[in-house]
Amino acid sequence: MAYAYDPQNIFARILRGEIPNKTVLETAHTLAFRDIAPKAPDHVLVIPKGPYVTFDHFCAAASEAEIVDFTRTCAKVCEILGVEDKGFRAITNAGEHGVQEVPHFHLHILAGRPLGRMLDMSEAE
Ligand code: 5GP
């Protein structure tokens, strides 16, 4: 993977404590926190603490400990949010076509209302 990580991205700054966040859960390798502009009643971002740009970068380059910690943290966040009954959506955007705003891999977990279909093609160009 030839991804170049920008250590000045906003999530790197959150991880360094330079910007506050509403933490839902923090573990050795993972941070889960509330999105600043929530698109649903519950909108949590789960990020690895390591310098990974996108989902595929993380999957390819992260250690097994980081990957297990990340996935187990996602499960705990879902439990904290209580999504088992009504469900949720997990999304990750990557790169230009994925319209990724922050170049630090993050999983969006959205819940708390019906979320519509996965893609609104009216927004595709
Ligand atoms: P992306 O478009 O990269 O998949 O999503 C980036 C997300 O990060 C957006 O949903 C945006 O609202 C969120 N975000 C951007 N800046 C901040 C911030 O400073 N704090 C928090 N908590 N979320 C942010």
Short mmCIF file of all heavy atoms in Angstrom, two decimals, residues 92-115:
data_model
loop_
_atom_site.label_atom_id
_atom_site.label_comp_id
_atom_site.label_asym_id
_atom_site.label_seq_id
_atom_site.Cartn_x
_atom_site.Cartn_y
_atom_site.Cartn_z
N THR A 92 -17.78 3.29 5.49
CA THR A 92 -16.48 3.95 5.44
C THR A 92 -16.26 4.51 4.05
O THR A 92 -16.47 3.82 3.05
CB THR A 92 -15.34 3.01 5.88
OG1 THR A 92 -14.12 3.73 5.85
CG2 THR A 92 -15.27 1.75 5.06
N ASN A 93 -15.89 5.77 3.98
CA ASN A 93 -15.62 6.43 2.71
C ASN A 93 -14.11 6.42 2.47
O ASN A 93 -13.33 6.58 3.41
CB ASN A 93 -16.12 7.88 2.76
CG ASN A 93 -17.61 7.96 3.01
OD1 ASN A 93 -18.38 7.23 2.40
ND2 ASN A 93 -18.02 8.83 3.92
N ALA A 94 -13.72 6.27 1.21
CA ALA A 94 -12.29 6.24 0.89
C ALA A 94 -12.01 7.03 -0.37
O ALA A 94 -12.65 6.82 -1.41
CB ALA A 94 -11.81 4.79 0.73
N GLY A 95 -11.07 7.94 -0.25
CA GLY A 95 -10.56 8.64 -1.43
C GLY A 95 -11.55 9.55 -2.12
O GLY A 95 -12.59 9.91 -1.57
N GLU A 96 -11.19 9.90 -3.34
CA GLU A 96 -11.97 10.90 -4.09
C GLU A 96 -13.37 10.40 -4.41
O GLU A 96 -14.36 11.08 -4.13
CB GLU A 96 -11.22 11.24 -5.39
CG GLU A 96 -11.91 12.27 -6.26
CD GLU A 96 -11.21 12.49 -7.60
OE1 GLU A 96 -10.09 11.96 -7.78
OE2 GLU A 96 -11.79 13.16 -8.45
N HIS A 97 -13.48 9.21 -4.98
CA HIS A 97 -14.80 8.71 -5.36
C HIS A 97 -15.65 8.36 -4.15
O HIS A 97 -16.88 8.43 -4.20
CB HIS A 97 -14.67 7.50 -6.30
CG HIS A 97 -14.31 7.89 -7.70
ND1 HIS A 97 -14.29 7.01 -8.76
CD2 HIS A 97 -13.94 9.09 -8.23
CE1 HIS A 97 -13.94 7.63 -9.87
NE2 HIS A 97 -13.71 8.90 -9.57
N GLY A 98 -15.01 8.00 -3.06
CA GLY A 98 -15.74 7.72 -1.83
C GLY A 98 -16.09 8.98 -1.06
O GLY A 98 -16.77 8.92 -0.04
N VAL A 99 -15.59 10.11 -1.56
CA VAL A 99 -15.81 11.43 -0.93
C VAL A 99 -15.40 11.39 0.55
O VAL A 99 -16.17 11.69 1.45
CB VAL A 99 -17.27 11.92 -1.10
CG1 VAL A 99 -17.36 13.43 -0.78
CG2 VAL A 99 -17.80 11.67 -2.50
N GLN A 100 -14.14 11.01 0.74
CA GLN A 100 -13.56 10.97 2.09
C GLN A 100 -13.05 12.36 2.45
O GLN A 100 -12.19 12.91 1.76
CB GLN A 100 -12.42 9.94 2.14
CG GLN A 100 -11.78 9.82 3.51
CD GLN A 100 -10.64 8.79 3.52
OE1 GLN A 100 -10.23 8.32 2.47
NE2 GLN A 100 -10.15 8.45 4.69
N GLU A 101 -13.57 12.90 3.53
CA GLU A 101 -13.19 14.25 3.96
C GLU A 101 -11.93 14.23 4.81
O GLU A 101 -11.05 15.08 4.66
CB GLU A 101 -14.37 14.85 4.75
CG GLU A 101 -14.15 16.23 5.30
CD GLU A 101 -15.27 16.63 6.27
OE1 GLU A 101 -16.40 16.11 6.13
OE2 GLU A 101 -15.01 17.44 7.16
N VAL A 102 -11.86 13.29 5.73
CA VAL A 102 -10.73 13.23 6.67
C VAL A 102 -9.86 12.01 6.32
O VAL A 102 -10.35 10.87 6.37
CB VAL A 102 -11.22 13.12 8.13
CG1 VAL A 102 -10.04 13.06 9.08
CG2 VAL A 102 -12.13 14.31 8.47
N PRO A 103 -8.59 12.23 5.98
CA PRO A 103 -7.73 11.13 5.51
C PRO A 103 -7.10 10.30 6.63
O PRO A 103 -5.89 10.06 6.65
CB PRO A 103 -6.68 11.85 4.66
CG PRO A 103 -6.53 13.18 5.33
CD PRO A 103 -7.90 13.54 5.86
N HIS A 104 -7.93 9.92 7.57
CA HIS A 104 -7.56 8.95 8.62
C HIS A 104 -8.71 7.97 8.65
O HIS A 104 -9.86 8.37 8.90
CB HIS A 104 -7.37 9.66 9.96
CG HIS A 104 -6.96 8.74 11.08
ND1 HIS A 104 -5.73 8.82 11.71
CD2 HIS A 104 -7.62 7.70 11.67
CE1 HIS A 104 -5.66 7.89 12.66
NE2 HIS A 104 -6.80 7.18 12.65
N PHE A 105 -8.44 6.68 8.42
CA PHE A 105 -9.52 5.70 8.32
C PHE A 105 -10.49 5.82 9.49
O PHE A 105 -10.08 5.88 10.65
CB PHE A 105 -8.93 4.28 8.27
CG PHE A 105 -9.95 3.22 8.54
CD1 PHE A 105 -11.13 3.18 7.83
CD2 PHE A 105 -9.75 2.27 9.54
CE1 PHE A 105 -12.10 2.21 8.10
CE2 PHE A 105 -10.69 1.31 9.81
CZ PHE A 105 -11.88 1.28 9.09
N HIS A 106 -11.79 5.83 9.15
CA HIS A 106 -12.82 5.86 10.18
C HIS A 106 -14.05 5.12 9.70
O HIS A 106 -14.39 5.16 8.51
CB HIS A 106 -13.19 7.30 10.57
CG HIS A 106 -13.46 8.20 9.40
ND1 HIS A 106 -12.45 8.75 8.65
CD2 HIS A 106 -14.62 8.65 8.86
CE1 HIS A 106 -12.98 9.50 7.69
NE2 HIS A 106 -14.30 9.44 7.79
N LEU A 107 -14.70 4.45 10.62
CA LEU A 107 -15.98 3.80 10.34
C LEU A 107 -17.08 4.64 10.97
O LEU A 107 -17.03 4.94 12.16
CB LEU A 107 -15.98 2.39 10.94
CG LEU A 107 -17.16 1.50 10.52
CD1 LEU A 107 -16.98 1.06 9.07
CD2 LEU A 107 -17.28 0.29 11.43
N HIS A 108 -18.04 5.04 10.14
CA HIS A 108 -19.22 5.73 10.65
C HIS A 108 -20.21 4.67 11.14
O HIS A 108 -20.54 3.74 10.39
CB HIS A 108 -19.94 6.51 9.55
CG HIS A 108 -19.15 7.60 8.91
ND1 HIS A 108 -19.35 8.94 9.19
CD2 HIS A 108 -18.17 7.57 7.97
CE1 HIS A 108 -18.54 9.68 8.46
NE2 HIS A 108 -17.82 8.88 7.70
N ILE A 109 -20.71 4.81 12.35
CA ILE A 109 -21.81 3.97 12.83
C ILE A 109 -23.00 4.90 13.07
O ILE A 109 -22.93 5.82 13.89
CB ILE A 109 -21.45 3.20 14.10
CG1 ILE A 109 -20.30 2.22 13.79
CG2 ILE A 109 -22.66 2.46 14.65
CD1 ILE A 109 -19.83 1.40 14.97
N LEU A 110 -24.05 4.69 12.26
CA LEU A 110 -25.23 5.56 12.28
C LEU A 110 -26.43 4.76 12.76
O LEU A 110 -26.64 3.62 12.33
CB LEU A 110 -25.51 6.10 10.88
CG LEU A 110 -24.39 6.94 10.29
CD1 LEU A 110 -24.10 6.53 8.86
CD2 LEU A 110 -24.72 8.41 10.35
N ALA A 111 -27.23 5.38 13.65
CA ALA A 111 -28.37 4.67 14.21
C ALA A 111 -29.35 5.66 14.80
O ALA A 111 -29.07 6.85 14.90
CB ALA A 111 -27.89 3.69 15.28
N GLY A 112 -30.53 5.14 15.15
CA GLY A 112 -31.49 5.96 15.87
C GLY A 112 -32.66 6.44 15.04
O GLY A 112 -33.57 7.07 15.57
N ARG A 113 -32.62 6.17 13.73
CA ARG A 113 -33.76 6.49 12.86
C ARG A 113 -33.64 5.63 11.60
O ARG A 113 -32.54 5.12 11.30
CB ARG A 113 -33.77 7.97 12.48
CG ARG A 113 -32.62 8.42 11.58
CD ARG A 113 -32.89 9.79 10.98
NE ARG A 113 -31.75 10.34 10.27
CZ ARG A 113 -31.43 10.04 9.00
NH1 ARG A 113 -32.15 9.16 8.32
NH2 ARG A 113 -30.40 10.61 8.44
N PRO A 114 -34.74 5.49 10.84
CA PRO A 114 -34.63 4.79 9.56
C PRO A 114 -33.66 5.56 8.66
O PRO A 114 -33.75 6.79 8.55
CB PRO A 114 -36.05 4.83 8.99
CG PRO A 114 -36.94 5.04 10.18
CD PRO A 114 -36.14 5.90 11.12
N LEU A 115 -32.73 4.87 8.02
CA LEU A 115 -31.62 5.53 7.33
C LEU A 115 -31.77 5.57 5.81
O LEU A 115 -30.88 6.06 5.11
CB LEU A 115 -30.30 4.85 7.71
CG LEU A 115 -29.95 5.01 9.19
CD1 LEU A 115 -28.95 3.98 9.64
CD2 LEU A 115 -29.44 6.42 9.46
#
